[in-house]
Amino acid sequence: MRLTIDLTEEKPLYQQIRDQIVEGIAVGLLAEGTPLPPTRRLAADFGINFHTVNKAYELLRREGLVRLHRKRGAVVHVSAPDAAAWADWEARLRILLAEARARGATAEEIQERCRRILNVLMRPAAGEA
Amino acid sequence: MRLTIDLTEEKPLYQQIRDQIVEGIAVGLLAEGTPLPPTRRLAADFGINFHTVNKAYELLRREGLVRLHRKRGAVVHVSAPDAAAWADWEARLRILLAEARARGATAEEIQERCRRILNVLMRPAAGEA
DNA sequence: CTATTGATCTAGTATAGCTATATCAAATTG
DNA sequence: CAATTTGATATAGCTATACTAGATCAATAG
């Protein structure tokens, strides 16, 4: 799977990396057990410090999406969200949806956009890894 | 409308203020034309610096949700999002939905949660201002 | 005119993000 | 066992962001 970073983005580099891996898992490009590149190699590819990649991996570990081993490296390992994780997620979703509502979008229009995005995320993405 | 801040939150204070006002507009507690408290007064109520409230208001102005006048103060004024704003919003939504998908939630389950939150946001909240 | 309110400027502190270097520890591999 | 790979951890320095503090300016409602 192809990973990229954008130094001009306001979004932190470790967050960009984390987000792309999350999307990769969501669409199935990164299946359970798939190894991620070693932090040093990915950092070298990006031309950034390996601590930054480390931070992204550590974040993914805390979120329950990867397992980290010495020598074996980082491996995709999904664990279902607990109640607290769901509550946190819904709080963030609530703010995002409120933003659209506040600016005049109808509930139907918002739901349609959610549906379209989920459709894309559900598309089987085999052979693109 | 009741506004609060939490100093122990990781979320920046100006962002907490902004998010609550966005939600207030979304649910209809803050209708078009409603004046927001003066920055100095709100800051005093919170026990924080008025520059922080100023930052929240300025953010809301940039987002097209309030108009700022001297002496008249900040007033709710909604403007519809343009294409760029929608694209930005969808990008953020995409990451959030991907997060849930990555951790095993089905598209139906995710849509149901979106629907439930929108339901709450649509509930007319008259008389609670 | 006066008082209120946002706009702007300077400045100081604390924290976050990123980099750089170095070392440690586990575990795979030969 | 020994060597190598890989994440884990520690220190330090730099820049940007978040927040505070105090002062001043400018529009404008009354």
Side-chain angles (χ1 to χ4, degrees):
Chain A
M1 176 191 179
R2 176 159 195 79
L3 297 175
T4 59
I5 57 171
D6 180 358
L7 295 172
T8 72
E9 268 273 4
E10 57 185 328
K11 192 193 289 184
L13 297 177
Y14 74 91
Q15 191 77 41
Q16 292 183 36
I17 297 168
R18 175 268 183 193
D19 286 351
Q20 286 177 66
I21 292 172
V22 167
E23 288 202 25
I25 297 173
V27 302
L29 280 174
L30 299 173
E32 179 82 22
T34 306
L36 299 180
T39 56
R40 292 168 228 257
R41 186 156 74 75
L42 193 50
D45 289 349
F46 286 152
I48 65 177
N49 195 275
F50 85 94
H51 281 118
T52 303
V53 179
N54 213 325
K55 193 168 181 177
Y57 281 14
E58 169 60 20
L59 177 54
L60 287 163
R61 187 196 62 73
R62 284 204 311 273
E63 293 179 326
L65 285 172
V66 305
R67 279 196 174 164
L68 304 177
H69 310 267
R70 306 197 206 219
K71 184 65 183 179
R72 238 207 303 170
V75 179
V76 174
H77 176 85
V78 176
S79 67
D82 57 15
W86 268 122
D88 190 83
W89 184 84
E90 288 203 345
R92 279 181 293 148
L93 178 60
R94 177 187 170 85
I95 292 166
L96 202 52
L97 298 183
E99 225 172 281
R101 273 292 299 154
R103 300 198 59 183
T106 65
E108 290 68 31
E109 181 177 0
I110 294 169
Q111 282 208 318
E112 170 60 19
R113 287 179 193 269
C114 289
R115 204 189 56 73
R116 280 219 332 273
I117 292 172
L118 280 170
N119 244 1
V120 175
L121 291 178
M122 299 296 292
R123 243 205 290 278
E128 293 182 28
Chain B
M1 176 193 179
R2 177 162 195 78
L3 296 174
T4 60
I5 58 170
D6 180 357
L7 295 171
T8 72
E9 268 273 3
E10 58 184 327
K11 193 194 288 184
L13 297 177
Y14 74 91
Q15 192 77 41
Q16 292 183 37
I17 296 167
R18 176 267 182 194
D19 286 352
Q20 287 179 66
I21 293 173
V22 167
E23 289 202 26
I25 297 173
V27 303
L29 279 174
L30 300 173
E32 179 83 21
T34 305
L36 299 180
T39 55
R40 292 169 229 258
R41 186 157 75 75
L42 193 52
D45 289 350
F46 287 152
I48 64 177
N49 195 276
F50 84 95
H51 282 117
T52 305
V53 179
N54 213 326
K55 193 168 181 178
Y57 282 13
E58 169 59 21
L59 178 54
L60 288 163
R61 187 196 62 74
R62 283 205 310 272
E63 293 179 326
L65 286 173
V66 304
R67 279 196 174 164
L68 304 177
H69 310 269
R70 309 200 205 216
K71 184 65 180 177
R72 238 209 302 171
V75 178
V76 174
H77 177 84
V78 176
S79 67
D82 58 14
W86 268 122
D88 189 83
W89 183 85
E90 288 203 345
R92 280 181 292 149
L93 177 60
R94 178 187 169 86
I95 291 166
L96 201 53
L97 298 184
E99 226 172 279
R101 272 291 300 154
R103 300 198 57 181
T106 65
E108 290 70 29
E109 180 177 1
I110 294 169
Q111 283 210 317
E112 170 60 18
R113 288 181 191 267
C114 290
R115 204 188 56 73
R116 279 220 332 273
I117 291 172
L118 280 171
N119 245 1
V120 175
L121 291 179
M122 299 295 292
R123 243 205 289 278
E128 294 181 28

